Amino acid sequence: MTETSRMRLTILRGAEFWNDSCAPTELKDAVDHGATGATSNPVIVSAVVKSDPKTWNPVLDGIISKNPTASEDEVAWLLIEEIGRQASAILAPVHAETKGARGYLSMQVSPKFHANAARMIEHGKALAALAPNIAIKVPSTAAGVVAAEELVAAGINVNATVSFTVSQAVTVGEAFERGLDRAQAEGVDLTRLHPYMTLMVGRLDDLLQRVMVKEQIAIDPGYLAWAGIAVFKRAHDIFLRRGFRSRLLVAAYRHHLHWSQLIGQGVIHTMPYPWWKQFEASDIEVEETLSRPVQPEVVETLQRKFKDFPLAYEEGALSAASFASYGATVHTLSQFLGGFQELLGLVRDRMLNRP
């Protein structure tokens, strides 16, 4: 590793770099390459456990032995919490060195609570108590927006996820502003309160790809690669103009443009381990590209061909009540719920068949 590595150059251009996984081995390597945070969700945790059974089966067996009457849901969350503790400990030196400005692990509340603000708030507070450098992930549904504001007002860092549209980004940004003001009024130290707004750019591209196939839309497929990028750039411009104190994260990578075209001051890239390792080994030039607009022809064509793109690109095109029914939200929540069910299956199998 040198100071001219791709990830180091990304950081020098003003962006932060997170590892989009809580796997300890991957996270340690990421921190060595400049990563200052990490993310987690049910799909990620399930993958971590499946990919390294030698490490996690003994941990799971220990949890089961200590909690013989616990349900599979309870055991699963105890496992998630233990993985979270280990990952947050890896990031703790970054958190300490930056005096709480960086070094956060994002842990997601149960996807089963996506429509229940009170349950998300309760679960978020419990997860935040695991370590001082944990941010709570809530979905950008109507209930999630309420939970996000309340958690920030309580002095808890929040990462709003399951987000694909400018409307979601702005609505959440406004909720964060209200939460920050309330926290400050209660004497919370705002230097350690850093709300994050995640836009899952690749999942918007995926939605348009599914629609293109289903509706047999004729379009240059290369245009689809710019949909999430265009939404992110527009949201970032609004955040700057309105002085929002939360920060935008880019997530859900599908190709190098999701990294190379969104590099600039204040952005956080939360990259899956294989993706940033691929970028690190590439010869792609690392430039400040965040302020460069997407070609107007591409944006105009996407707006004309897909009804879902204007809903994502235009501010106010979606109300908070409709966030949960947007196609990318439905698909992503389904995957998160499925990932949690897969983790429950792993836990159930171990509870019934462990040595």
Side-chain angles (χ1 to χ4, degrees):
M1 182 185 67
T2 69
E3 286 300 315
T4 57
S5 71
R6 293 299 179 264
M7 293 302 100
R8 294 288 180 183
L9 286 171
T10 298
I11 295 166
L12 287 173
R13 301 293 182 267
E16 276 189 64
F17 149 50
W18 288 13
N19 190 67
D20 196 16
S21 171
C22 52
T25 302
E26 294 181 1
L27 183 51
K28 289 175 183 176
D29 188 27
V31 170
D32 287 343
H33 283 76
T36 54
T39 54
S40 170
N41 62 42
V43 175
I44 289 173
V45 170
S46 181
V48 167
V49 174
K50 286 194 302 181
S51 67
D52 191 5
K54 289 184 179 180
T55 296
W56 297 114
N57 279 348
V59 174
L60 182 53
D61 290 343
I63 291 171
I64 295 169
S65 295
K66 293 176 183 177
N67 302 273
T69 63
S71 68
E72 59 193 35
D73 283 67
E74 291 168 332
V75 170
W77 277 106
L78 289 171
L79 177 62
I80 291 170
E81 290 173 4
E82 178 56 31
I83 294 173
R85 287 190 192 92
Q86 293 192 26
S88 62
I90 295 169
L91 290 166
V94 177
H95 187 256
E97 182 181 337
T98 61
K99 296 180 169 45
R102 296 180 178 86
Y104 288 92
L105 170 72
S106 292
M107 293 188 70
Q108 188 162 317
V109 298
S110 173
K112 293 181 177 181
F113 301 156
H114 65 86
N116 190 321
R119 296 296 299 275
M120 283 191 273
I121 293 166
E122 177 185 25
H123 195 199
K125 289 180 177 179
L127 292 175
L130 295 174
N133 59 327
I134 287 176
I136 302 303
K137 294 179 78 173
V138 299
S140 297
T141 57
V145 173
V146 173
E149 178 181 339
E150 293 301 319
L151 288 168
V152 169
I156 294 171
N157 281 298
V158 171
N159 182 354
T161 185
V162 193
S163 319
F164 322 92
T165 70
V166 171
S167 295
Q168 286 174 296
V170 173
T171 300
V172 169
E174 291 171 344
F176 283 155
E177 289 299 304
R178 295 191 297 270
L180 287 165
D181 288 343
R182 290 169 57 191
Q184 187 173 30
E186 293 296 322
V188 173
D189 180 5
L190 295 191
T191 63
R192 292 180 176 270
L193 198 53
H194 311 285
Y196 309 103
M197 173 67 212
T198 295
L199 281 169
M200 308 178 88
V201 293
R203 287 181 176 269
L204 176 59
D205 297 0
D206 293 345
L207 171 65
L208 299 189
Q209 178 72 33
R210 293 192 297 271
V211 172
M212 183 186 73
V213 173
K214 181 180 179 180
E215 299 183 5
Q216 297 184 323
I217 295 173
I219 187 174
D220 181 345
Y223 281 19
L224 300 185
W226 292 92
I229 294 170
V231 166
F232 191 96
K233 287 176 182 281
R234 186 162 225 199
H236 185 261
D237 181 63
I238 292 171
F239 270 47
L240 286 178
R241 285 191 284 107
R242 300 192 185 176
F244 286 167
R245 289 169 285 181
S246 51
R247 299 177 65 190
L248 285 172
L249 282 83
V250 55
Y253 297 75
R254 300 295 184 263
H255 44 73
H256 80 81
L257 298 176
H258 288 149
W259 158 61
S260 62
Q261 291 300 313
L262 293 172
I263 296 173
Q265 191 67 41
V267 168
I268 301 173
H269 285 267
T270 177
M271 304 189 219
Y273 187 79
W275 278 108
W276 72 258
K277 294 297 280 189
Q278 177 183 324
F279 299 155
E280 188 80 327
S282 75
D283 59 0
I284 297 168
E285 189 170 355
V286 181
E287 302 177 292
E288 197 287 316
T289 52
L290 184 59
S291 60
R292 297 179 187 173
V294 176
Q295 291 184 14
E297 178 187 352
V298 173
V299 174
E300 187 277 330
T301 302
L302 291 170
Q303 287 180 311
R304 180 165 42 85
K305 294 279 190 176
F306 297 94
K307 65 180 181 180
D308 292 287
F309 181 73
L311 291 176
Y313 188 71
E314 301 295 341
E315 181 184 354
L318 291 175
S319 67
S322 63
F323 291 165
S325 61
Y326 186 65
T329 304
V330 173
H331 195 267
T332 301
L333 284 176
S334 178
Q335 283 196 328
F336 283 172
L337 287 162
F340 185 62
Q341 289 301 315
E342 185 175 15
L343 179 60
L344 291 181
L346 295 174
V347 169
R348 184 185 311 122
D349 182 69
R350 201 67 187 172
M351 292 174 76
L352 294 174
N353 299 294
R354 69 189 181 92

